[in-house]
Amino acid sequence: MNDVADVGNGEAGYAQIRFSLRRCVGRITLNRPERLNSFTEAMHAELARALDTLEACEGLRGLIVTGAGRGFCAGQDLSERKPPAAGERRDLSVGLETRYRPLILRLRALPVPVVCVLNGVAAGAGASLALACDVIYAVESARFVQAFSKIGLLPDAGGTWFLPRLVGSARAMGAALFGESVSARQAEAWGLIWRAVPDEALAATLAEIEATLAAGPTRAYAAAKQALHASSGNTLAQQFDLETRLQRELGYTDDYLEGMRAFAEKRPPAFTGT
Ligand code: T3D
């Protein structure tokens, strides 16, 4: 399997995100720190282009999503929206349909683990972006804010789908209605995220996740992701069918053979992702 060359920002024309592919693991860093990495149309276009590259990458083994500076993402850049004139009515569906929906659905559909590393606050659609990822790590100073109600909106970009599934309806409702901050530690206790880590461990966490994904059993990860995502819409019997089909496919992979050999030889496995 070929590795994929780094994609430097300058040469690839990225300005509002940084995008790289190292050892077949993509990394997207939202990069408008002065506005807490809030979404603009230009950022959406760059994210779409990065996803084009990731979807076309045959040897892809994972994706990490994080942010530059003290915030992860503060949702829609509200300065892109002029304050409404008296009596004006706005159709907010267009941006959701044309930008947020494809972004979230494409991330969910990537056939590799998508790991979010929250470097700071995730608010509005920025929280939904984090929740769309398969696994979330967060530094202890990070927090989630369902900021939507503060501007008279409901959680969007998938927020009302992700929240109750992850934390149950009582917590989802409280967070959505009142828009209070949920700290990383609280989010960990609720099961909203996988793990909170000390702030000073951010760089080490990113490096560790990259190394884990680059050396992992990628097809097993993909199958687990597919099965877990499908589970909420399946009966137990349907889930058995899916697990059986996926496990049969995994039984034919190089990584299964390697895993079994490594177990027998009492050594760590050297997975190739095939
Ligand atoms: O319109 C549509 O398309 C509908 C779709 C909506 C999707 C959505 O995401 S709606 C929700 C939009 N987001 C928000 O309402 C969050 C707004 N921001 C905040 O509530 C707070 O900034 C935070 C809780 C995220 C962080 O608070 P804090 O105290 O740590 O930082 P801060 O001082 O408020 O913000 C720092 C700077 O970032 C500040 O600029 P300044 O004063 O230094 O020049 C602030 O204005 C700016 N900023 C923060 N969030 C946004 C933003 N600028 C533009 N858009 C933002 N969303």
Side-chain angles (χ1 to χ4, degrees):
M1 183 180 306
N2 293 330
D3 207 349
V4 182
D6 283 8
V7 182
N9 292 318
E11 79 203 53
Y14 291 102
Q16 304 210 350
I17 66 171
R18 297 200 301 265
F19 176 52
S20 65
L21 265 170
R22 276 185 291 272
R23 300 169 65 194
C24 292
V25 178
R27 188 184 296 190
I28 290 174
T29 305
L30 307 178
N31 193 27
R32 302 181 66 235
E34 69 290 350
R35 284 281 167 271
L36 301 182
N37 304 320
S38 50
F39 288 111
T40 59
E41 279 194 43
M43 183 188 277
H44 274 289
E46 292 184 18
L47 287 167
R49 205 146 48 78
L51 281 166
D52 290 342
T53 302
L54 293 163
E55 286 166 354
C57 176
E58 268 187 30
L60 190 66
R61 298 188 80 167
L63 171 64
I64 297 170
V65 181
T66 189
R70 76 171 178 88
F72 170 69
C73 177
Q76 171 63 40
D77 184 328
L78 298 177
S79 63
E80 264 196 348
R81 308 272 180 265
K82 287 192 192 115
E88 184 188 335
R89 296 290 181 259
R90 269 190 198 161
D91 181 354
L92 298 179
S93 68
V94 180
L96 288 173
E97 279 297 321
T98 59
R99 291 186 278 279
Y100 289 101
R101 180 190 174 103
L103 169 65
I104 299 298
L105 294 185
R106 288 176 79 184
L107 273 179
R108 292 288 281 189
L110 270 187
V112 291
V114 179
V115 180
C116 176
V117 181
L118 269 193
N119 55 302
V121 64
S128 302
L129 171 66
L131 299 181
C133 297
D134 302 311
V135 178
I136 305 174
Y137 287 76
V139 296
E140 281 167 340
S141 66
R143 58 201 166 107
F144 286 88
V145 189
Q146 295 297 324
F148 302 90
S149 61
K150 311 266 187 210
I151 55 169
L153 298 180
L154 89 160
D156 62 18
T160 59
W161 193 89
F162 296 120
L163 273 173
R165 280 171 172 75
L166 289 164
V167 298
S169 61
R171 286 167 173 158
M173 198 65 86
L177 299 192
F178 307 128
E180 291 167 15
S181 282
V182 176
S183 70
R185 282 288 171 212
Q186 184 71 75
E188 185 183 46
W190 281 7
L192 190 62
I193 67 169
W194 168 237
R195 189 160 290 165
V197 299
D199 284 40
E200 55 277 17
L202 175 63
T205 301
L206 285 163
E208 194 183 312
I209 294 166
E210 191 170 275
T212 301
L213 294 177
T218 308
R219 293 186 57 186
Y221 287 163
K225 168 173 176 166
Q226 185 185 339
L228 287 167
H229 283 182
S231 68
S232 59
N234 276 349
T235 62
L236 180 57
Q238 288 168 327
Q239 196 67 12
F240 258 88
D241 291 343
L242 179 60
E243 285 177 1
T244 303
R245 179 170 67 74
L246 293 171
Q247 204 72 301
R248 184 191 307 120
E249 290 168 12
L250 290 175
Y252 298 135
T253 61
D254 295 336
D255 282 346
Y256 172 65
L257 287 184
E258 167 59 11
M260 291 300 288
R261 281 195 192 115
F263 178 78
E265 293 163 17
K266 298 189 185 302
R267 60 170 174 81
F271 293 127
T272 56
T274 56

